Amino acid sequence: MRVLVVEDERRMAAALQRGLQAEGFAVDLAHDGEEGLHLARHGDYDVVVLDIMLPRISGYNVCKQLRAEENWVPILMLSAKDGEYDMADGLDLGADDYLTKPFSYVVLVARLRALLRRGANRRPAVLKAGDLTLDPARRRVSRGQQPVELTPREFALLEYLMRHHDEVVSKSEILEHVWDTFDTDPNVVEVYVGYLRRKIDAPFSRNALQTVRGAGYRLAGDGG
């Protein structure tokens, strides 16, 4: 899943980026409100982590502007201000959650996953396509009762495909959300799709992960 972190404390921003990437998120950084607003407007993000005390435009105003433009990307606000009125202001402006600094990294990740589940599209805690299941929080995949071992990249690819099951997704979309780049050779997607098929389909005589010639890939919602 693709995350935008808007945080002017560069060391904290870098630490958040490293930690979230280790959890399988693709992460972009912005260090002031103006840049954050621009990226949130034009980027295809699944969730935004937004500090309140930002240069140029405050986090409050970034959130307010996005909601005024009917941009409903889930927003988790971060702040050193722990007053109940500060929290109420953020939530009233349209933020979906609020976390005060210092915070538990474990709690941050859990709240981000909760926001993903509550997004505009249906985002269940455990993703299912027939008897194929993926648990993002526990990092587990199974076919029926059989566990399937995946690498972190394979897991991120399968999670993205399952969140968009029955939809055709292009190689460029997969690169943006799973590899966090457009510069990688698109053929790497084909290679990893092959890896996934050998783990989630071939051993079970299934055909869930389908190639749509000239368009991309589709994961069958019935599990193939």
Side-chain angles (χ1 to χ4, degrees):
M1 297 291 101
R2 193 167 182 82
V3 181
L4 172 63
V5 174
V6 189
E7 168 62 67
D8 63 323
E9 296 179 27
R10 291 179 180 266
R11 290 179 62 185
M12 174 173 284
L16 285 172
Q17 184 178 45
R18 289 193 301 270
L20 292 173
Q21 286 175 338
E23 294 288 335
F25 293 97
V27 184
D28 288 340
L29 297 180
H31 299 296
D32 62 66
E34 185 173 286
E35 181 186 13
L37 180 58
H38 174 77
L39 290 175
R41 279 172 168 163
H42 301 290
D44 184 17
Y45 295 101
D46 299 291
V47 65
V48 174
V49 178
L50 179 65
D51 191 27
I52 289 179
M53 304 298 289
L54 294 169
R56 298 188 178 179
I57 305 175
S58 73
Y60 286 136
N61 286 329
V62 170
C63 181
K64 183 178 180 179
Q65 187 62 40
L66 289 173
R67 296 307 188 233
E69 296 168 3
E70 297 189 351
N71 183 328
W72 305 113
V73 61
I75 294 174
L76 186 151
M77 279 191 162
L78 296 179
S79 179
K81 303 169 72 174
D82 60 358
E84 59 185 13
Y85 290 105
D86 299 314
M87 184 180 299
D89 287 343
L91 296 174
D92 285 345
L93 286 171
D96 300 277
D97 203 350
Y98 189 107
L99 203 55
T100 56
K101 301 175 183 178
F103 52 83
S104 162
Y105 181 73
V106 172
V107 171
L108 171 66
V109 172
R111 290 193 176 190
L112 288 178
R113 294 203 182 279
L115 289 180
L116 290 171
R117 294 196 298 270
R118 299 200 302 265
N121 297 318
R122 183 172 175 270
R123 298 179 185 271
V126 177
L127 307 179
K128 295 184 179 181
D131 66 347
L132 178 65
T133 62
L134 182 148
D135 187 333
R138 292 181 174 84
R139 313 291 292 177
R140 293 176 182 170
V141 175
S142 62
R143 261 289 190 193
Q145 300 301 314
Q146 181 67 39
V148 178
E149 297 296 326
L150 300 180
T151 67
R153 186 74 72 187
E154 292 166 352
F155 188 96
L157 174 58
L158 181 60
E159 180 177 359
Y160 182 71
L161 292 169
M162 291 185 73
R163 290 192 184 279
H164 297 272
H165 66 79
D166 289 326
E167 300 176 18
V168 177
V169 292
S170 67
K171 287 183 179 180
S172 61
E173 289 173 319
I174 292 172
L175 284 175
E176 180 183 2
H177 287 268
V178 178
W179 271 265
D180 195 19
T181 181
F182 290 107
D183 297 330
T184 302
D185 185 345
N187 289 329
V188 74
V189 176
E190 186 175 342
V191 171
Y192 273 84
V193 165
Y195 292 159
L196 266 185
R197 283 180 174 142
R198 289 195 286 272
K199 292 184 177 183
I200 67 170
D201 280 346
F204 308 95
S205 300
R206 300 297 186 85
N207 184 31
L209 186 41
Q210 304 162 359
T211 298
V212 181
R213 192 172 299 277
Y217 301 95
R218 175 175 55 220
L219 187 98
D222 62 3

